[in-house]
Amino acid sequence: MTNPFSVLLSLYYKESPAFLRQSLDSIFRQTLLPSEVILVKDGPLTAKLDETIEEYALRYPQLKIIPLAKNGGLGKALNEGLKYCSYDLVARMDTDDISKPDRFEKQIKIFQEHPELDVVGAWIEEFEGDTSKVTSIRKLPEQPSEIYEYGKKRSPINHPCVMYRKSAVLRVGGYHKFPEDYYLWGYMLKAGCKFYNIQESLLYFRFSRDVFRRRGGWSYAMKELALQCELLRIGYINYRRFVLNVMIRFTTRMMPNRMREIFYKRMLRK
């Protein structure tokens, strides 16, 4: 396999140095190594995080550090990082998740076999504590037509496990406001980009119950309303789907945290 590719990560001060080490180790122990790893420092970090980055930068010359003066959020950090990605194929990952050893090899193989594709995702396994404690699997549809329809209801790609064409992302203006990935997929799908999901888990996603708290409340619900309005505006969803989405999402966002946790685990995961 000769396709060069970049890996893009964004790091901010609340991350754990131990989790960052696990994440970077999973990148540099792949069966197919990346040509470069672009790590964006989204604002000033802790001394421990800076020490960890310096250690890995000395060990792995393909690790390039892009410092930002202040924290601007994930979307802005990733847009800045994309400017430094030298290759059209870019793999995304979060700095507290763990890629399985053959993740990149399998994604590159799909791109080689299907050059018409713009985005290749996969399933993820959500875990708490360590990877032996998988609590759920986020499975997604496989084929482009299925993904197009699925995306009208829910985010059709697991962002921490995606590999995409930088050129296709830039054609729709890159990352937008929160939730950054869902905006991006909606714009790309409406623009005719082709998506595919590998039907197996290629990444361990670090999960905690705090996620359910962050995904609730009025502020989060209003941000999702803005997203649905935009998907309606660009013609990706029709008015009926817009109304259904808003009703379902407002209900789940305003649920008590415990009820929202049960809903996610029983209805939205396998």
Side-chain angles (χ1 to χ4, degrees):
M1 295 184 180
T2 58
N3 290 60
F5 66 98
S6 307
V7 177
L8 176 59
L9 308 99
S10 173
L11 177 67
Y12 82 131
Y13 74 99
K14 288 187 178 180
E15 189 55 88
S16 157
F19 295 168
L20 175 61
R21 285 179 178 276
Q22 289 181 304
S23 180
L24 292 174
D25 284 342
S26 77
I27 291 172
F28 292 115
R29 293 172 183 172
Q30 288 283 308
T31 56
L32 180 65
L33 292 173
S35 308
E36 64 179 7
V37 178
I38 305 299
L39 192 156
V40 181
K41 294 169 57 174
D42 189 10
L45 305 177
T46 65
K48 287 292 186 181
L49 284 172
D50 278 325
E51 289 173 11
T52 302
I53 292 171
E54 291 173 11
E55 175 190 334
Y56 277 80
L58 288 172
R59 195 187 309 173
Y60 301 103
Q62 59 267 59
L63 178 60
K64 302 176 183 179
I65 312 302
I66 312 300
L68 302 183
K70 61 180 182 179
N71 178 269
L74 181 62
K76 290 182 179 179
L78 295 180
N79 281 334
E80 187 65 23
L82 278 172
K83 298 176 184 178
Y84 294 88
C85 290
S86 306
Y87 306 100
D88 192 41
L89 290 180
V90 177
R92 266 285 295 125
M93 190 171 163
D94 289 336
T95 51
D96 59 348
D97 297 333
I98 301 170
S99 283
K100 294 191 177 183
D102 56 355
R103 173 196 162 183
F104 298 152
E105 181 178 353
K106 288 183 174 178
Q107 288 179 301
I108 287 292
K109 185 173 185 290
I110 294 294
F111 273 113
Q112 289 178 330
E113 293 174 349
H114 302 278
E116 74 280 5
L117 293 174
D118 298 291
V119 177
V120 174
W123 300 349
I124 60 174
E125 290 174 84
E126 297 172 333
F127 74 98
E128 296 184 38
D130 62 69
T131 55
S132 66
K133 300 174 182 177
V134 172
T135 58
S136 58
I137 302 174
R138 184 166 192 250
K139 298 182 178 182
L140 293 168
E142 180 178 13
Q143 297 298 331
S145 60
E146 298 173 307
I147 294 171
Y148 187 90
E149 292 303 316
Y150 185 91
K152 296 177 181 181
K153 298 177 290 185
R154 297 182 60 208
S155 181
I157 292 290
N158 288 315
H159 190 210
C161 194
V162 71
M163 184 180 285
Y164 51 56
R165 295 192 186 277
K166 173 183 173 180
S167 54
V169 170
L170 295 181
R171 279 202 304 272
V172 298
Y175 287 91
H176 297 261
K177 53 191 175 180
F178 180 88
E180 300 89 353
D181 59 323
Y182 201 167
Y183 269 96
L184 179 60
W185 313 141
Y187 289 134
M188 292 180 75
L189 286 165
K190 180 59 180 174
C193 295
K194 299 298 182 185
F195 286 47
Y196 180 83
N197 277 314
I198 296 172
Q199 297 297 284
E200 65 176 294
S201 170
L202 295 183
L203 178 135
Y204 292 107
F205 179 85
R206 194 177 300 276
F207 199 78
S208 71
R209 292 186 174 180
D210 188 53
V211 169
F212 300 113
R213 181 187 58 80
R214 295 199 305 267
R215 292 180 180 176
W218 181 255
S219 176
Y220 199 104
M222 293 306 293
K223 289 175 181 177
E224 286 209 326
L225 175 60
L227 166 65
Q228 295 301 319
C229 288
E230 184 65 9
L231 297 181
L232 177 64
R233 185 191 70 80
I234 66 176
Y236 179 50
I237 60 175
N238 59 28
Y239 189 72
R240 179 177 179 275
R241 172 47 60 186
F242 168 81
V243 172
L244 286 172
N245 286 351
V246 171
M247 290 174 59
I248 294 169
R249 289 170 180 274
F250 257 79
T251 300
T252 57
R253 298 314 169 202
M254 303 311 293
M255 286 177 179
N257 289 340
R258 180 56 182 163
M259 287 182 63
R260 187 162 48 252
E261 178 180 355
I262 293 170
F263 177 80
Y264 265 83
K265 288 185 174 180
R266 294 186 180 180
M267 302 299 293
L268 303 182
R269 296 294 188 269
K270 297 180 180 179

